[in-house]
């Protein structure tokens, strides 16, 4: 809800804007940049010590790190990709959403009648422009639509895979540093006893401590990005100041000439003397940009300005100093101690214990960026019918993108622990992490080049140059990662196969169900004209029929009336229609119309929502639907914004009348109910933070509707129709839901059978539709239907 601006001066508003930007920038340190900030823990440390054959090698590696950070993280993401937000949302699905709207490549279940109904004004800069040849070609080739969807799903799977791998490698690298620090303590004068103790520490310290820290990290996720950002940001700030200061110390103490490695000449020397082992080590160098993709994916949690300024002014210079200091240390100790390439070795001895504590805390924070990105991308996939039903909790009222998904959180934790326990080797985990990073970036590069050509309408030369330049840089790292496929990177492809199958099967099953509903729907005349002659009676109350189609009568409801010839005095067909936008304004969310004449009291309500909207999980959804029907009744004959549908006129409901709402919601007396009585008319209202036991009484809030006593705009017929709606609500509400049972048609190919079987398995084991829609079970009527696909 938009509030009127307060009477403040422009300087006050400017101060508030800067204050808000500073707060968001501070929070980004704890959520977005933890991964990038902790990358120095394992970049040099995962390179084989045998690859350092001279001090020049340290120069060459640092040159690669500097230019990779500059070209990919700074130039590509901070200055280019962050500009391609979708109304404040980022990630590969935000880019796919832009292409769906402006290049017409969407495969979201839809039909021609839906297009007629859902046609609403689009505030686009492309109105009036001639459609480009590239956009027209992509629009007319169906295969390109599937290719873009598969590319977006592939990129989403890479982000999820990174969310699984990052907690493992970040925490395990820090706990390994703890083990090395403990091993340096002299416990016994006997060399054999000291060796036995060191072996025991190496065996029992890194993995168990990493598992404990990982579990604690995932337990904190339910607090949301806002609180986690404030909790973790001080840790990352101290960590950055620490590694930046140590980097400056190492530069001046060991080798001030290390900055000569900023010259690309050292990269050329590296490539000139390349061999298989040295090329493979580039997979470790790639980890220096780990977390760059989350700058874009986590955009919905913060603002573009806060993310960009924090990186340019703080993260980038500190990381360059840290890597330069570590390279300066390695250049003087490459033939010295055993673990000279680990960051902990370059820390002055009197600061080692401080470093171990900070690294453990920072490594836990470093995983936050990818976990948050996983929540964001899964929420976007779910809203666009590409992920099974899961509970999504919006942790902020101010920023729609801040979400927490409990089921996904515990699944990520279990998979991350399995990697830690299964591999317990940083190098193997790093190989998988590098693969996830670079493939996710390649997807962003491909999608971004299309956005530049089709959305920004840049020339094909510019979009092609972007694709070729950044694609070449990332292809170099892909080739290096593929050399380590058998040493841990294969695990990423296992995760990819599972997650991609889940997304593809769910999308395919949803599309096939929708096509079946379209083919088997019944005309509205069957319900309005023919059903009375069949002896169908009307009973008191409201019937809410949830259906995916926006035209005609769903097959499951006609099946219900055929076997039980009765339906309620007021019927409302409710359809949820996802839109390829982050959020749909409340003033444009509901499209309401009639099915048949006024006397039938049958309505259709289409609920439009974006991939960041919280619509289905709200407890007052029934009140919103009835309120929108009341507004429609009062606006039906007025000259207001409307749509044209083959079933008749549909009105966009959201803006109330000048004198107020047509129906006034009134909170009735609070009552405690431990049973299902009055479940039809009551909305659950649980105070935030209050825990309710399974057998404890549930506090419910009963909402009634009243007609305004003095409203000259309401005619007698309108008042009568509104009163009938109120009386029906008082009689009770029933929810009709189709329970589908998919079976594969005989003679179908193996691929189709496999996807349908996978969809049926997911449908039975994910969140139930009544729970996903917050439907009280006492008022639910499920009608079973067999779908032969």
């Amino acid at each position: 809800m938009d509030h009127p601006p307060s009477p403040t001066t422009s300087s006050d508003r400017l101060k508030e804007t800067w204050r808000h930007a500073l707060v968001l920038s501070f929070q980004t340190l704890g959520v977005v940049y933890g991964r990038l900030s902790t990358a120095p823990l394992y970049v040099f440390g995962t390179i084989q010590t045998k690859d350092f054959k001279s001090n020049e090698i340290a120069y060459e590696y640092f040159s690669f790190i500097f230019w990779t950070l500059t070209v990919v993280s700074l130039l590509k993401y901070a200055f280019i990709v962050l500009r391609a937000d979708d109304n404040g949302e980022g990630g590969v699905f935000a880019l796919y959403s832009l292409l769906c709207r402006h290049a017409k490549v969407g495969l979201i279940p839809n039909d021609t009648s839906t297009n007629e109904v859902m046609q609403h004004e689009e505030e686009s800069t492309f109105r009036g422009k001639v459609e480009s040849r590239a956009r027209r070609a992509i629009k007319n080739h169906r295969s390109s639509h599937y290719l873009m969807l598969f590319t977006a799903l592939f990129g989403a799977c890479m982000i999820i895979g990174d969310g699984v791998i990052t907690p493992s490698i970040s925490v395990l690298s820090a706990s390994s540093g703890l083990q090395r620090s403990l091993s340096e303590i002299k416990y016994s004068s006997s060399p054999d006893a000291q060796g036995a103790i060191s072996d025991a520490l190496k065996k029992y310290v890194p993995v168990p401590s990493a598992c404990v820290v990982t579990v604690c990290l995932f337990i904190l996720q339910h607090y949301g990005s806002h609180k986690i950002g404030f909790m973790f940001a001080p840790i990352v700030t101290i960590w950055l100041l620490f590694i930046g200061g140590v980097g400056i110390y190492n530069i001046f103490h060991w080798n001030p000439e290390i900055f000569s490695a900023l010259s690309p000449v050292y990269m050329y020397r590296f490539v000139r003397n390349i061999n298989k082992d040295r090329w493979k080590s580039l997979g470790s160098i790639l980890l220096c940009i780990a977390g760059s993709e989350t700058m874009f994916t986590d955009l919905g949690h913060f603002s573009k300005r806060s993310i960009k300024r924090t990186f340019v002014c703080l993260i980038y210079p500190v990381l360059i100093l840290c890597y330069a200091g570590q390279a300066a240390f390695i250049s003087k100790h490459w033939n010295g101690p055993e673990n000279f390439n680990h960051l902990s070795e370059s820390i002055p001895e009197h600061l080692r214990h401080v470093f171990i504590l900070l690294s453990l805390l920072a490594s836990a924070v470093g995983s936050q960026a990818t976990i948050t990105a996983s929540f964001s991308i899964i929420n976007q996939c779910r809203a666009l019918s590409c992920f099974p039903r899961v509970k999504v909790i919006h942790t902020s009222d101010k920023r729609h993108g801040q979400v927490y998904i409990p089921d996904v959180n515990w699944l990520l934790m279990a998979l991350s622990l399995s990697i830690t326990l299964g591999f317990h080797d940083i190098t193997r985990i790093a190989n998988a992490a590098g693969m996830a990073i670079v493939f996710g970036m390649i997807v962003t590069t491909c999608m971004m080049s299309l956005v530049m050509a089709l959305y920004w309408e840049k020339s094909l030369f510019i979009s092609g140059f972007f694709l070729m330049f950044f694609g070449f840089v990332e292809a170099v790292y892909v080739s290096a990662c593929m050399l380590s496929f058998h040493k841990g990177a294969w695990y990423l492809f296992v995760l990819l196969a599972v997650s991609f199958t889940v997304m593809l099967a769910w999308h395919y099953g949803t599309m096939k169900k929708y096509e079946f509903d379209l083919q088997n729907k019944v005309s509205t005349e069957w319900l309005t004209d023919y059903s009375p002659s069949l002896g169908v009676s009307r009973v008191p109350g409201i019937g809410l029929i949830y259906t995916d189609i926006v035209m005609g009568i769903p097959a499951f409801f006609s099946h219900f009336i055929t076997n039980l010839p009765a339906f309620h005095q007021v019927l409302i067909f409710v359809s949820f229609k996802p839109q390829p936008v982050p959020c749909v304004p409340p003033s444009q969310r509901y499209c309401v119309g009639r099915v048949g004449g006024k006397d039938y009291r049958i309505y259709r309500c289409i609920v439009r929502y974006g991939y960041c909207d919280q619509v289905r999980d709200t407890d007052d959804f029934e009140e919103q639907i009835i309120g929108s029907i009341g507004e429609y009744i009062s606006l039906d004959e007025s000259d207001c914004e409307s749509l044209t549908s083959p079933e008749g006129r549909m009105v966009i409901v959201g803006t109330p009348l000048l004198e107020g709402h047509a129906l006034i919601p009134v909170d009735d007396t609070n009552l405690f109910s431990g049973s299902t009585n009055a479940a039809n008319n009551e909305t659950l209202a649980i105070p935030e933070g209050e825990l309710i036991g399974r057998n404890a009484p549930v506090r419910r809030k009963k909402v009634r509707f009243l007609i305004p006593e003095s409203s000259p705009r309401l005619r007698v017929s309108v008042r009568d129709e509104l009163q009938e709606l109120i009386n029906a609500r008082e009689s009770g509400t029933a929810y009709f839901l189709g329970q589908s049972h998919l079976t594969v048609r005989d003679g179908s190919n193996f691929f189709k059978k496999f996807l349908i079987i996978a969809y049926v398995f997911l449908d039975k084991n994910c969140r139930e539709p009544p729970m996903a829609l917050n439907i009280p079970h006492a008022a639910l009527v499920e009608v079973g239907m067999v779908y032969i696909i």
Side-chain angles (χ1 to χ4, degrees), residues 547-570:
T547 174
D548 290 330
I549 61 176
V550 298
M551 290 286 299
I553 308 302
F556 77 85
F557 190 68
S558 62
H559 176 68
F560 171 80
I561 294 178
T562 303
N563 291 274
L564 185 63
F567 57 87
H568 293 78
Q569 67 183 95
V570 175

PDB file of all heavy atoms in Angstrom, residues 547-570:
ATOM      1  N   THR A 547      -9.315 -23.551 -10.294  1.00  0.00           N
ATOM      2  CA  THR A 547      -9.048 -24.153 -11.597  1.00  0.00           C
ATOM      3  C   THR A 547      -7.939 -23.394 -12.292  1.00  0.00           C
ATOM      4  O   THR A 547      -7.718 -22.209 -12.030  1.00  0.00           O
ATOM      5  CB  THR A 547     -10.326 -24.152 -12.462  1.00  0.00           C
ATOM      6  OG1 THR A 547     -10.015 -24.604 -13.781  1.00  0.00           O
ATOM      7  CG2 THR A 547     -10.915 -22.752 -12.549  1.00  0.00           C
ATOM      8  N   ASP A 548      -7.240 -24.067 -13.196  1.00  0.00           N
ATOM      9  CA  ASP A 548      -6.163 -23.435 -13.946  1.00  0.00           C
ATOM     10  C   ASP A 548      -6.669 -22.731 -15.197  1.00  0.00           C
ATOM     11  O   ASP A 548      -5.979 -21.863 -15.734  1.00  0.00           O
ATOM     12  CB  ASP A 548      -5.108 -24.468 -14.342  1.00  0.00           C
ATOM     13  CG  ASP A 548      -4.325 -24.974 -13.151  1.00  0.00           C
ATOM     14  OD1 ASP A 548      -4.156 -24.203 -12.198  1.00  0.00           O
ATOM     15  OD2 ASP A 548      -3.878 -26.135 -13.187  1.00  0.00           O
ATOM     16  N   ILE A 549      -7.827 -23.103 -15.687  1.00  0.00           N
ATOM     17  CA  ILE A 549      -8.350 -22.503 -16.910  1.00  0.00           C
ATOM     18  C   ILE A 549      -9.138 -21.247 -16.571  1.00  0.00           C
ATOM     19  O   ILE A 549      -9.701 -21.124 -15.473  1.00  0.00           O
ATOM     20  CB  ILE A 549      -9.215 -23.498 -17.702  1.00  0.00           C
ATOM     21  CG1 ILE A 549     -10.426 -23.935 -16.865  1.00  0.00           C
ATOM     22  CG2 ILE A 549      -8.399 -24.700 -18.127  1.00  0.00           C
ATOM     23  CD1 ILE A 549     -11.384 -24.839 -17.619  1.00  0.00           C
ATOM     24  N   VAL A 550      -9.180 -20.313 -17.514  1.00  0.00           N
ATOM     25  CA  VAL A 550      -9.882 -19.052 -17.295  1.00  0.00           C
ATOM     26  C   VAL A 550     -11.091 -18.906 -18.204  1.00  0.00           C
ATOM     27  O   VAL A 550     -11.710 -17.849 -18.248  1.00  0.00           O
ATOM     28  CB  VAL A 550      -8.926 -17.859 -17.503  1.00  0.00           C
ATOM     29  CG1 VAL A 550      -7.786 -17.904 -16.505  1.00  0.00           C
ATOM     30  CG2 VAL A 550      -8.396 -17.834 -18.926  1.00  0.00           C
ATOM     31  N   MET A 551     -11.427 -19.965 -18.918  1.00  0.00           N
ATOM     32  CA  MET A 551     -12.610 -19.976 -19.776  1.00  0.00           C
ATOM     33  C   MET A 551     -13.307 -21.320 -19.609  1.00  0.00           C
ATOM     34  O   MET A 551     -12.653 -22.359 -19.566  1.00  0.00           O
ATOM     35  CB  MET A 551     -12.209 -19.797 -21.245  1.00  0.00           C
ATOM     36  CG  MET A 551     -11.694 -18.404 -21.570  1.00  0.00           C
ATOM     37  SD  MET A 551     -13.016 -17.192 -21.624  1.00  0.00           S
ATOM     38  CE  MET A 551     -14.012 -17.857 -22.934  1.00  0.00           C
ATOM     39  N   GLY A 552     -14.629 -21.299 -19.508  1.00  0.00           N
ATOM     40  CA  GLY A 552     -15.378 -22.530 -19.419  1.00  0.00           C
ATOM     41  C   GLY A 552     -15.386 -23.111 -18.019  1.00  0.00           C
ATOM     42  O   GLY A 552     -14.880 -22.529 -17.056  1.00  0.00           O
ATOM     43  N   ILE A 553     -15.968 -24.294 -17.909  1.00  0.00           N
ATOM     44  CA  ILE A 553     -16.125 -24.993 -16.634  1.00  0.00           C
ATOM     45  C   ILE A 553     -15.129 -26.147 -16.597  1.00  0.00           C
ATOM     46  O   ILE A 553     -15.063 -26.945 -17.546  1.00  0.00           O
ATOM     47  CB  ILE A 553     -17.560 -25.528 -16.466  1.00  0.00           C
ATOM     48  CG1 ILE A 553     -18.574 -24.409 -16.707  1.00  0.00           C
ATOM     49  CG2 ILE A 553     -17.751 -26.147 -15.092  1.00  0.00           C
ATOM     50  CD1 ILE A 553     -18.417 -23.214 -15.796  1.00  0.00           C
ATOM     51  N   PRO A 554     -14.317 -26.265 -15.530  1.00  0.00           N
ATOM     52  CA  PRO A 554     -13.343 -27.358 -15.473  1.00  0.00           C
ATOM     53  C   PRO A 554     -14.025 -28.719 -15.463  1.00  0.00           C
ATOM     54  O   PRO A 554     -15.150 -28.873 -14.952  1.00  0.00           O
ATOM     55  CB  PRO A 554     -12.590 -27.099 -14.169  1.00  0.00           C
ATOM     56  CG  PRO A 554     -13.493 -26.240 -13.351  1.00  0.00           C
ATOM     57  CD  PRO A 554     -14.274 -25.411 -14.328  1.00  0.00           C
ATOM     58  N   ALA A 555     -13.347 -29.697 -16.021  1.00  0.00           N
ATOM     59  CA  ALA A 555     -13.931 -31.032 -16.162  1.00  0.00           C
ATOM     60  C   ALA A 555     -14.259 -31.647 -14.812  1.00  0.00           C
ATOM     61  O   ALA A 555     -15.277 -32.344 -14.679  1.00  0.00           O
ATOM     62  CB  ALA A 555     -12.969 -31.927 -16.938  1.00  0.00           C
ATOM     63  N   PHE A 556     -13.431 -31.399 -13.793  1.00  0.00           N
ATOM     64  CA  PHE A 556     -13.688 -32.035 -12.496  1.00  0.00           C
ATOM     65  C   PHE A 556     -14.966 -31.502 -11.852  1.00  0.00           C
ATOM     66  O   PHE A 556     -15.661 -32.237 -11.145  1.00  0.00           O
ATOM     67  CB  PHE A 556     -12.494 -31.864 -11.558  1.00  0.00           C
ATOM     68  CG  PHE A 556     -12.361 -30.510 -10.933  1.00  0.00           C
ATOM     69  CD1 PHE A 556     -13.045 -30.181  -9.762  1.00  0.00           C
ATOM     70  CD2 PHE A 556     -11.546 -29.547 -11.502  1.00  0.00           C
ATOM     71  CE1 PHE A 556     -12.909 -28.928  -9.179  1.00  0.00           C
ATOM     72  CE2 PHE A 556     -11.412 -28.298 -10.932  1.00  0.00           C
ATOM     73  CZ  PHE A 556     -12.097 -27.980  -9.772  1.00  0.00           C
ATOM     74  N   PHE A 557     -15.328 -30.238 -12.109  1.00  0.00           N
ATOM     75  CA  PHE A 557     -16.557 -29.698 -11.510  1.00  0.00           C
ATOM     76  C   PHE A 557     -17.792 -30.229 -12.230  1.00  0.00           C
ATOM     77  O   PHE A 557     -18.816 -30.519 -11.592  1.00  0.00           O
ATOM     78  CB  PHE A 557     -16.522 -28.172 -11.551  1.00  0.00           C
ATOM     79  CG  PHE A 557     -17.622 -27.538 -10.742  1.00  0.00           C
ATOM     80  CD1 PHE A 557     -17.631 -27.640  -9.357  1.00  0.00           C
ATOM     81  CD2 PHE A 557     -18.660 -26.852 -11.360  1.00  0.00           C
ATOM     82  CE1 PHE A 557     -18.652 -27.068  -8.606  1.00  0.00           C
ATOM     83  CE2 PHE A 557     -19.667 -26.272 -10.620  1.00  0.00           C
ATOM     84  CZ  PHE A 557     -19.662 -26.380  -9.237  1.00  0.00           C
ATOM     85  N   SER A 558     -17.725 -30.366 -13.552  1.00  0.00           N
ATOM     86  CA  SER A 558     -18.849 -30.985 -14.267  1.00  0.00           C
ATOM     87  C   SER A 558     -19.004 -32.443 -13.851  1.00  0.00           C
ATOM     88  O   SER A 558     -20.126 -32.962 -13.762  1.00  0.00           O
ATOM     89  CB  SER A 558     -18.629 -30.871 -15.775  1.00  0.00           C
ATOM     90  OG  SER A 558     -17.459 -31.572 -16.173  1.00  0.00           O
ATOM     91  N   HIS A 559     -17.880 -33.093 -13.593  1.00  0.00           N
ATOM     92  CA  HIS A 559     -17.927 -34.470 -13.098  1.00  0.00           C
ATOM     93  C   HIS A 559     -18.599 -34.524 -11.729  1.00  0.00           C
ATOM     94  O   HIS A 559     -19.390 -35.445 -11.439  1.00  0.00           O
ATOM     95  CB  HIS A 559     -16.501 -35.017 -13.030  1.00  0.00           C
ATOM     96  CG  HIS A 559     -16.398 -36.397 -12.457  1.00  0.00           C
ATOM     97  ND1 HIS A 559     -16.874 -37.521 -13.090  1.00  0.00           N
ATOM     98  CD2 HIS A 559     -15.863 -36.842 -11.278  1.00  0.00           C
ATOM     99  CE1 HIS A 559     -16.643 -38.593 -12.346  1.00  0.00           C
ATOM    100  NE2 HIS A 559     -16.030 -38.201 -11.243  1.00  0.00           N
ATOM    101  N   PHE A 560     -18.320 -33.533 -10.886  1.00  0.00           N
ATOM    102  CA  PHE A 560     -18.938 -33.472  -9.558  1.00  0.00           C
ATOM    103  C   PHE A 560     -20.448 -33.262  -9.659  1.00  0.00           C
ATOM    104  O   PHE A 560     -21.233 -33.935  -8.986  1.00  0.00           O
ATOM    105  CB  PHE A 560     -18.295 -32.334  -8.759  1.00  0.00           C
ATOM    106  CG  PHE A 560     -18.975 -32.022  -7.460  1.00  0.00           C
ATOM    107  CD1 PHE A 560     -18.751 -32.795  -6.329  1.00  0.00           C
ATOM    108  CD2 PHE A 560     -19.856 -30.953  -7.366  1.00  0.00           C
ATOM    109  CE1 PHE A 560     -19.387 -32.501  -5.132  1.00  0.00           C
ATOM    110  CE2 PHE A 560     -20.497 -30.658  -6.177  1.00  0.00           C
ATOM    111  CZ  PHE A 560     -20.253 -31.430  -5.058  1.00  0.00           C
ATOM    112  N   ILE A 561     -20.891 -32.319 -10.519  1.00  0.00           N
ATOM    113  CA  ILE A 561     -22.332 -32.025 -10.638  1.00  0.00           C
ATOM    114  C   ILE A 561     -23.068 -33.200 -11.251  1.00  0.00           C
ATOM    115  O   ILE A 561     -24.220 -33.495 -10.890  1.00  0.00           O
ATOM    116  CB  ILE A 561     -22.521 -30.746 -11.479  1.00  0.00           C
ATOM    117  CG1 ILE A 561     -21.950 -29.541 -10.733  1.00  0.00           C
ATOM    118  CG2 ILE A 561     -23.990 -30.512 -11.804  1.00  0.00           C
ATOM    119  CD1 ILE A 561     -22.051 -28.247 -11.489  1.00  0.00           C
ATOM    120  N   THR A 562     -22.437 -33.900 -12.168  1.00  0.00           N
ATOM    121  CA  THR A 562     -23.080 -35.058 -12.782  1.00  0.00           C
ATOM    122  C   THR A 562     -23.402 -36.128 -11.746  1.00  0.00           C
ATOM    123  O   THR A 562     -24.456 -36.787 -11.793  1.00  0.00           O
ATOM    124  CB  THR A 562     -22.175 -35.638 -13.875  1.00  0.00           C
ATOM    125  OG1 THR A 562     -21.879 -34.617 -14.841  1.00  0.00           O
ATOM    126  CG2 THR A 562     -22.839 -36.817 -14.561  1.00  0.00           C
ATOM    127  N   ASN A 563     -22.500 -36.313 -10.783  1.00  0.00           N
ATOM    128  CA  ASN A 563     -22.713 -37.335  -9.752  1.00  0.00           C
ATOM    129  C   ASN A 563     -23.467 -36.799  -8.538  1.00  0.00           C
ATOM    130  O   ASN A 563     -24.114 -37.579  -7.826  1.00  0.00           O
ATOM    131  CB  ASN A 563     -21.358 -37.888  -9.292  1.00  0.00           C
ATOM    132  CG  ASN A 563     -20.667 -38.704 -10.365  1.00  0.00           C
ATOM    133  OD1 ASN A 563     -20.908 -39.897 -10.502  1.00  0.00           O
ATOM    134  ND2 ASN A 563     -19.814 -38.050 -11.155  1.00  0.00           N
ATOM    135  N   LEU A 564     -23.392 -35.506  -8.275  1.00  0.00           N
ATOM    136  CA  LEU A 564     -24.089 -34.895  -7.145  1.00  0.00           C
ATOM    137  C   LEU A 564     -24.713 -33.595  -7.642  1.00  0.00           C
ATOM    138  O   LEU A 564     -24.084 -32.545  -7.607  1.00  0.00           O
ATOM    139  CB  LEU A 564     -23.128 -34.623  -5.981  1.00  0.00           C
ATOM    140  CG  LEU A 564     -23.740 -34.105  -4.689  1.00  0.00           C
ATOM    141  CD1 LEU A 564     -24.699 -35.131  -4.099  1.00  0.00           C
ATOM    142  CD2 LEU A 564     -22.663 -33.762  -3.677  1.00  0.00           C
ATOM    143  N   PRO A 565     -25.944 -33.653  -8.161  1.00  0.00           N
ATOM    144  CA  PRO A 565     -26.548 -32.497  -8.849  1.00  0.00           C
ATOM    145  C   PRO A 565     -26.933 -31.355  -7.911  1.00  0.00           C
ATOM    146  O   PRO A 565     -28.116 -31.137  -7.639  1.00  0.00           O
ATOM    147  CB  PRO A 565     -27.775 -33.112  -9.530  1.00  0.00           C
ATOM    148  CG  PRO A 565     -28.126 -34.276  -8.687  1.00  0.00           C
ATOM    149  CD  PRO A 565     -26.853 -34.818  -8.142  1.00  0.00           C
ATOM    150  N   ALA A 566     -25.951 -30.641  -7.410  1.00  0.00           N
ATOM    151  CA  ALA A 566     -26.201 -29.483  -6.549  1.00  0.00           C
ATOM    152  C   ALA A 566     -24.947 -28.647  -6.476  1.00  0.00           C
ATOM    153  O   ALA A 566     -23.832 -29.176  -6.522  1.00  0.00           O
ATOM    154  CB  ALA A 566     -26.626 -29.929  -5.149  1.00  0.00           C
ATOM    155  N   PHE A 567     -25.127 -27.331  -6.435  1.00  0.00           N
ATOM    156  CA  PHE A 567     -23.997 -26.450  -6.149  1.00  0.00           C
ATOM    157  C   PHE A 567     -24.519 -25.218  -5.431  1.00  0.00           C
ATOM    158  O   PHE A 567     -25.730 -24.999  -5.320  1.00  0.00           O
ATOM    159  CB  PHE A 567     -23.219 -26.085  -7.413  1.00  0.00           C
ATOM    160  CG  PHE A 567     -24.010 -25.431  -8.499  1.00  0.00           C
ATOM    161  CD1 PHE A 567     -24.181 -24.052  -8.518  1.00  0.00           C
ATOM    162  CD2 PHE A 567     -24.579 -26.182  -9.528  1.00  0.00           C
ATOM    163  CE1 PHE A 567     -24.894 -23.440  -9.519  1.00  0.00           C
ATOM    164  CE2 PHE A 567     -25.305 -25.579 -10.524  1.00  0.00           C
ATOM    165  CZ  PHE A 567     -25.466 -24.205 -10.528  1.00  0.00           C
ATOM    166  N   HIS A 568     -23.596 -24.400  -4.929  1.00  0.00           N
ATOM    167  CA  HIS A 568     -23.946 -23.326  -4.006  1.00  0.00           C
ATOM    168  C   HIS A 568     -24.643 -22.163  -4.712  1.00  0.00           C
ATOM    169  O   HIS A 568     -24.542 -22.007  -5.926  1.00  0.00           O
ATOM    170  CB  HIS A 568     -22.687 -22.826  -3.292  1.00  0.00           C
ATOM    171  CG  HIS A 568     -22.079 -23.845  -2.373  1.00  0.00           C
ATOM    172  ND1 HIS A 568     -21.309 -24.883  -2.835  1.00  0.00           N
ATOM    173  CD2 HIS A 568     -22.149 -23.985  -1.021  1.00  0.00           C
ATOM    174  CE1 HIS A 568     -20.905 -25.622  -1.803  1.00  0.00           C
ATOM    175  NE2 HIS A 568     -21.403 -25.106  -0.702  1.00  0.00           N
ATOM    176  N   GLN A 569     -25.322 -21.355  -3.914  1.00  0.00           N
ATOM    177  CA  GLN A 569     -26.063 -20.221  -4.469  1.00  0.00           C
ATOM    178  C   GLN A 569     -25.141 -19.167  -5.062  1.00  0.00           C
ATOM    179  O   GLN A 569     -25.530 -18.406  -5.932  1.00  0.00           O
ATOM    180  CB  GLN A 569     -26.928 -19.580  -3.382  1.00  0.00           C
ATOM    181  CG  GLN A 569     -26.126 -18.890  -2.272  1.00  0.00           C
ATOM    182  CD  GLN A 569     -26.989 -18.329  -1.179  1.00  0.00           C
ATOM    183  OE1 GLN A 569     -27.200 -18.982  -0.164  1.00  0.00           O
ATOM    184  NE2 GLN A 569     -27.492 -17.132  -1.387  1.00  0.00           N
ATOM    185  N   VAL A 570     -23.888 -19.122  -4.605  1.00  0.00           N
ATOM    186  CA  VAL A 570     -22.875 -18.244  -5.184  1.00  0.00           C
ATOM    187  C   VAL A 570     -21.666 -19.096  -5.544  1.00  0.00           C
ATOM    188  O   VAL A 570     -21.111 -19.793  -4.682  1.00  0.00           O
ATOM    189  CB  VAL A 570     -22.465 -17.117  -4.221  1.00  0.00           C
ATOM    190  CG1 VAL A 570     -21.324 -16.311  -4.815  1.00  0.00           C
ATOM    191  CG2 VAL A 570     -23.650 -16.206  -3.916  1.00  0.00           C
TER     192      VAL A 570
END
